[in-house]
Amino acid sequence: PYPSTDVPSSQDFPASTAMDERGVLADALTLLGDHARRHGATVTAAFHYADALALHLELGARLEIARCLERVAHLALVRGKPVHAACFLGSAATIRRAIGAPPIRTEEPELETPLTAVRAKLDEATFAAAWVSGEALPYDKAIAQALAFLLNPVDAGEVLPSRERADSSANCPPLGRPRTQSSETIWHV
């Protein structure tokens, strides 16, 4: 007449219904990153987002990858990198289109903030070129560039060499800033 007091074990649930803890961990890392970003701890936020992005990639969670790329755009703005932000937003938009997942109403304000800020900081031609560069990036390259950006918290200075401007569809802007040392240019990343 009374329910069993036995605690269920993992053997009581089929593998197909077991929740993958990596997804829960990735979501928690994303939320920790959001909290850190909103409180000015951008390096901490970057590392949380990088871990979350890597886990979402392992899981093949493309919508969550797009959402992470949108968060990376926020950090790019904080770092004074509006061209990178536009590129990451373009990549995220492409992923969302590919999976048929436009932003839902609750996401729109969070997306509108970086988009408005990027448009305010860049002229229309530069914005469009960066956005198209992000859209044109293959999925894996967009993720690799986001991870490189996130794991490089000392990245500073917007430098876009003329050869990069000429072929803006090939890549987002390079990370780092050039430093001349004994007549050769070295990129700091």
Side-chain angles (χ1 to χ4, degrees), residues 63 67 70 96 102-112:
L63 177 57
R67 289 175 174 155
E70 292 158 357
R96 282 181 175 274
I104 56 175
R105 232 175 253 209
T106 57
E107 292 174 316
E108 288 173 0
E110 188 75 14
L111 284 173
E112 199 58 40

Side-chain angles (χ1 to χ4, degrees), residues 27-46 48-49 71 74-75 110:
D27 292 343
L29 287 164
T30 300
L31 292 173
L32 286 169
D34 290 346
H35 180 77
R37 177 176 48 91
R38 288 186 184 114
H39 288 87
T42 58
V43 172
T44 301
H48 286 315
Y49 290 153
R71 287 168 165 91
H74 276 278
L75 288 180
E110 188 75 14

Side-chain angles (χ1 to χ4, degrees), residues 86-87 90-91 94 126-137 168-172:
C87 186
S91 293
T94 297
T126 305
F127 171 79
W131 184 277
V132 169
S133 292
E135 287 182 320
L137 280 175
S168 64
S169 66
N171 276 318
C172 286

Side-chain angles (χ1 to χ4, degrees), residues 3-180:
S4 169
T5 57
D6 293 338
V7 176
S9 72
S10 60
Q11 295 171 350
D12 295 329
F13 299 101
S16 62
T17 60
M19 180 179 279
D20 190 334
E21 292 86 13
R22 293 175 301 166
V24 174
L25 178 58
D27 292 343
L29 287 164
T30 300
L31 292 173
L32 286 169
D34 290 346
H35 180 77
R37 177 176 48 91
R38 288 186 184 114
H39 288 87
T42 58
V43 172
T44 301
F47 289 133
H48 286 315
Y49 290 153
D51 287 340
L53 185 55
L55 284 170
H56 287 310
L57 179 61
E58 277 182 33
L59 296 169
R62 294 190 306 166
L63 177 57
E64 297 309 320
I65 289 170
R67 289 175 174 155
C68 276
L69 290 172
E70 292 158 357
R71 287 168 165 91
V72 176
H74 276 278
L75 288 180
L77 279 168
V78 171
R79 289 188 194 175
K81 304 281 207 172
V83 173
H84 287 81
C87 186
F88 294 131
L89 289 170
S91 293
T94 297
I95 294 169
R96 282 181 175 274
R97 268 194 312 277
I99 61 174
I104 56 175
R105 232 175 253 209
T106 57
E107 292 174 316
E108 288 173 0
E110 188 75 14
L111 284 173
E112 199 58 40
T113 301
L115 189 57
T116 301
V118 167
R119 286 183 176 272
K121 292 178 187 259
L122 301 175
D123 61 70
E124 191 57 37
T126 305
F127 171 79
W131 184 277
V132 169
S133 292
E135 287 182 320
L137 280 175
Y139 177 74
D140 57 335
K141 190 161 186 175
I143 294 166
Q145 287 198 2
L147 287 169
F149 185 84
L150 290 168
L151 297 174
N152 185 20
V154 296
D155 183 56
E158 190 72 48
V159 176
L160 203 58
S162 60
R163 71 179 186 281
E164 292 291 333
R165 281 192 202 112
D167 186 17
S168 64
S169 66
N171 276 318
C172 286
L175 298 175
R177 57 182 168 31
R179 179 175 62 112
T180 304

